[in-house]
Amino acid sequence: MLQMRPNCECCDKDLPPDATNARICTFECTFCSDCAGARLGHVCPNCGGDLVQRPRRPSSRLAKYPASTERVLKPQGCGVMA
């Protein structure tokens, strides 16, 4: 099950579970659509994988399957492959 991380790793923008502007890679690294497109060219700076639209979790399922509350932020900024 997806963690549904709550923020963009680049700019720390909030990305709630129903956000349509969240992008993820196969490792669930999470970015907003602005950073994914403009800064990263739709490529994850952590693994090099594609950044695609994150599925939304229906609000009816959030009580049983809550989204993550752990915020991940790249202190060195985005665009640098690890």
Side-chain angles (χ1 to χ4, degrees), residues 30-44:
T30 304
F31 303 93
C32 70
S33 58
D34 292 336
C35 290
R39 289 182 170 181
L40 304 173
H42 303 286
V43 175
C44 179

Side-chain angles (χ1 to χ4, degrees), residues 32-69:
C32 70
S33 58
D34 292 336
C35 290
R39 289 182 170 181
L40 304 173
H42 303 286
V43 175
C44 179
N46 301 323
C47 68
D50 294 336
L51 291 172
V52 299
Q53 185 171 1
R54 181 181 74 186
R56 291 176 287 163
R57 183 159 300 157
S59 57
S60 62
R61 299 295 188 153
L62 284 173
K64 187 172 181 180
Y65 305 103
S68 174
T69 58

